[in-house]
């Protein structure tokens, strides 16, 4: 590339004045979230196990407008004949319905979400308990209303518990968005679309272990500390809600 | 995958515990980095980075495209990684595909910043030519030639070097008669502009083996890992992305400790990499 070295290297920015976006005045102290929640307030969660009867275990979760359904099949013979393995395999698949998003069929990248779900769950499952077999986790996002992946992960761990798969602990997941100077927990789609950074934690609350952590955007170290603390607090609360959901089913059965 | 006997495993683990690894490095020392730029003449920018036996190539191609409806004021950057089976037999078919997607996702997260573009290595707004009409699409394609661990750090470094080497043609927008008409642009063949790559972060992967963590693990060391955290840090010491690999859970305090270690290591790596890139660019200019 001899031709370009002749010119003085100028920074490439053809149009510097591009800050005309219809951005919400975030600098305002009294900026209100689209659904008028507090910054550190999660959306109301509705969780239910046993949503799909043919599956070994299933769960339905509704966090505000985000609605997902997860079913778990197995442990069963692996469809793809692979090598012998003395631990079980976990197969995860996340898909969006075509009507899940405002624009038809514009869900997030399926492959990416599936691999994230796999990574978040594999650390919590006792894979040694079902050698040579495979557990399939299918998640379907019925309506995407923001924080889809954390809801899918929490719901999937509930479905695994419902299927009787041995787990070290339930996996709870919460995300935080950084909007301007503020941290907002459990962001909705609108907040996600203009955030300056997001952080998602999946953890096992009673073991106090983080199975997966994803950060993007720009963060200073103290901010990461704050965000992680906020998420871990919310995760342990969500863990309790999930636990009580599982207990409710049992008490209902007894009655 | 590397097959190691129990004895070999213990030997590596013991070495790491004593801060003396198989190749004589300390826990937080990188292998020597070798950078070569302008290796692909057809691309707008390219670089080859060698990190010990790990060898990767990154190329940057710029094409004119249309901005997304949701972000009319930003250009687009795509990152693709290809793991060729020539590097390692396990990359054949599905194994390679899975690794490729995992690496591409991790790189996009580390280098492209948040949704609003904060923390992005390349400011997406600088790729805009005409709002809502024309922008540059940057295709960053990476190829793994030889793999001996720590692919992500090597790929991150290669992309940073390739971007420093990239020249984007200067574009003049001819005023269109009406606003809804397709914008008319003049792409210059002679004038090239370069990116400001000072904001591009480096990726530091800390691999946890036993109770300690090490940087720049070889594939032998990687086969022993319980989990690994890749942290991308830019010049200002800000964290631009974080990805965890490996199933084992980590205590939150360990993660925070890893972040502070990564920040410390990244400073040295950034300086080293910058001087290597500069040397490579100078060597390029001297050649006829």
């Amino acid at each position: 590339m001899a031709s370009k070295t002749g010119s003085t290297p100028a920074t490439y920015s053809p149009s510097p004045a591009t800050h005309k976006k219809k951005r919400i005045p975030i600098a305002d102290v009294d900026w209100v979230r689209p659904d008028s929640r507090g910054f550190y307030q999660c959306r109301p969660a509705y969780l239910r196990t046993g949503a799909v009867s043919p599956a070994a275990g299933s769960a339905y979760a509704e966090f505000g407008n985000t609605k997902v359904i997860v079913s778990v099949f197995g442990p069963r013979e692996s469809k793809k004949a692979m090598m012998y393995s003395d631990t079980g395999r976990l197969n995860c698949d996340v898909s969006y319905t075509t009507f899940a998003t405002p624009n038809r069929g514009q869900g997030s990248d399926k492959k990416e979400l599936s691999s994230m779900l796999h990574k978040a769950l594999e650390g919590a499952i006792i894979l040694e308990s079902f050698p040579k077999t495979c557990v399939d986790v299918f998640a379907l996002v019925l309506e995407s209303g923001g924080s889809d992946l954390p809801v899918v992960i929490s719901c999937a761990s509930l479905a695994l518990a419902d299927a009787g798969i041995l787990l070290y602990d339930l996996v709870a997941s919460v995300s935080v968005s950084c909007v301007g100077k503020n941290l907002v927990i459990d962001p909705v789609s609108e907040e996600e679309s203009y955030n300056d950074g997001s952080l998602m934690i999946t953890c096992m609350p009673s073991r106090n272990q983080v199975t997966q952590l994803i950060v993007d955007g720009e963060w200073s170290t103290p901010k990461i500390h704050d965000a992680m603390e906020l998420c871990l607090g919310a995760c342990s609360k969500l863990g309790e809600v999930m636990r009580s959901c599982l207990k409710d089913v049992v008490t209902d059965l007894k009655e | 995958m590397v097959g190691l006997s129990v004895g070999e495993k213990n030997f590596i683990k013991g070495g790491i515990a004593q801060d003396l690894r198989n190749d004589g490095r300390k826990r937080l020392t990188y292998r020597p980095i070798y950078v070569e730029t302008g290796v692909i003449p057809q691309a707008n920018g390219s670089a080859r980075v060698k990190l010990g036996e790990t060898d990767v190539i990154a190329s940057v191609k710029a094409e004119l495209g249309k901005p997304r409806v949701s972000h009319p004021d930003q250009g687009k950057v795509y990152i693709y990684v290809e793991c060729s089976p020539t590097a390692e037999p396990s990359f054949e078919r599905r194994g390679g595909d899975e690794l490729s997607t995992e690496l591409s996702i991790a790189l996009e997260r580390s280098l492209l910043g948040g949704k609003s573009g904060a923390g992005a290595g390349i400011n997406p707004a600088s790729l805009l030519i005409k709002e809502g009409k024309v922008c540059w699409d940057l295709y960053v394609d990476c190829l793994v030639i030889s793999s001996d661990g720590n692919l992500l750090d090597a790929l991150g470094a290669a992309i940073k070097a390739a971007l420093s080497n990239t020249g984007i043609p200067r574009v003049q927008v001819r005023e269109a008669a009406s606003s809804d008409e397709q914008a008319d642009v003049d792409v210059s063949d002679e004038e090239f502009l370069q990116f400001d790559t000072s904001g591009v972060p480096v990726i530091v992967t800390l691999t946890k083996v036993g109770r300690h963590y090490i940087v720049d693990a070889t594939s032998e060391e990687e086969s022993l890992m319980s989990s690994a955290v890749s942290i991308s840090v830019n010049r200002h010491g800000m964290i631009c992305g974080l990805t965890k690999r490996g199933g084992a859970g980590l205590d939150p305090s360990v993660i925070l400790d890893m972040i502070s270690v990564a920040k410390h290591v990244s400073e040295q790596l950034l300086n080293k990499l910058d001087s290597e890139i500069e040397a490579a660019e100078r060597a390029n200019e001297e050649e006829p």
Side-chain angles (χ1 to χ4, degrees), chain A residues 1 3-4 7 9-12 14 18 112 123 192 195-196 208-215 217-219 221 232, chain B residues 43-44 73 105 109 114-116 119 126 128 136 165 192-194 234 239-242 244 247 249-251 263:
Chain A
M1 293 236 150
S3 49
K4 73 178 182 208
S7 63
T11 305
Y12 185 74
T18 48
E112 178 179 348
E192 275 184 334
N195 68 17
D196 295 312
N208 193 29
Q209 279 192 340
V210 176
T211 60
Q212 192 53 250
L213 173 65
I214 300 163
V215 179
E218 196 173 34
W219 297 78
T221 320
L232 288 169
Chain B
N44 292 74
D73 57 347
I105 293 168
R109 187 176 300 130
K115 287 271 161 41
S116 71
S126 72
L128 189 75
W136 283 112
N165 179 247
F192 289 92
L193 295 168
Q194 288 201 289
N234 68 12
I239 287 120
C240 303
L242 194 154
K244 186 177 166 293
L250 281 177
D251 196 83
K263 265 174 83 169

Side-chain angles (χ1 to χ4, degrees), chain A residues 30-45 63-66 145-147 174-175 183-192:
Chain A
D30 33 68
W31 167 66
V32 206
R33 297 179 67 174
D35 49 1
S36 59
R37 260 184 297 154
F39 288 169
Y40 300 157
Q41 196 185 354
C42 292
R43 290 173 292 182
F63 284 57
N65 282 335
T66 307
S147 311
V174 173
S175 67
L183 290 174
V184 292
I185 200 163
D186 201 14
V188 296
S189 309
E190 196 187 334
E191 287 163 331
E192 275 184 334

